[in-house]
Amino acid sequence: MYPIMRQTLKMQVLEEALESTVALINKDLPIQMEWEIVEHLCNVLKPFENATKAISGEYYCTASLAIPIANGLINVYKGLATKQYPETVKSMILEV
């Protein structure tokens, strides 16, 4: 999910081109607040991408990393829960 959201943020830079394309299919572009939520969600999901890459080693046994990485994620999300985020993002953090 994180890579998809990261790509979505890159698409924001191309908003003018998107507006032309979207006009052809008669859909609305995300508003600024929605772009900001996607950006915050990328920050929230980034630790999961890092953990997934660390556990997904190809040439070595990574099972011993599972517990330390899980504990690390818990600590990261405890820290994130204390930061100021929009309510949508905050509820996602608290559910993790």
Side-chain angles (χ1 to χ4, degrees), residues 60-78:
Y60 51 89
C61 179
T62 57
S64 62
L65 293 174
I67 292 174
I69 288 175
N71 288 336
L73 284 172
I74 290 168
N75 290 333
V76 166
Y77 282 92
K78 283 181 181 176

Side-chain angles (χ1 to χ4, degrees), residues 23-66:
L24 294 173
I25 59 173
N26 201 22
K27 296 285 181 184
D28 293 327
L29 281 175
I31 60 173
Q32 184 61 35
M33 184 182 71
E34 292 168 329
W35 284 119
E36 290 171 8
I37 288 172
V38 169
E39 186 173 1
H40 289 303
L41 288 175
C42 283
N43 293 332
V44 169
L45 293 173
K46 178 73 173 164
F48 279 109
E49 181 187 41
N50 294 339
T52 300
K53 286 180 180 178
I55 291 178
S56 300
E58 292 181 35
Y59 302 109
Y60 51 89
C61 179
T62 57
S64 62
L65 293 174

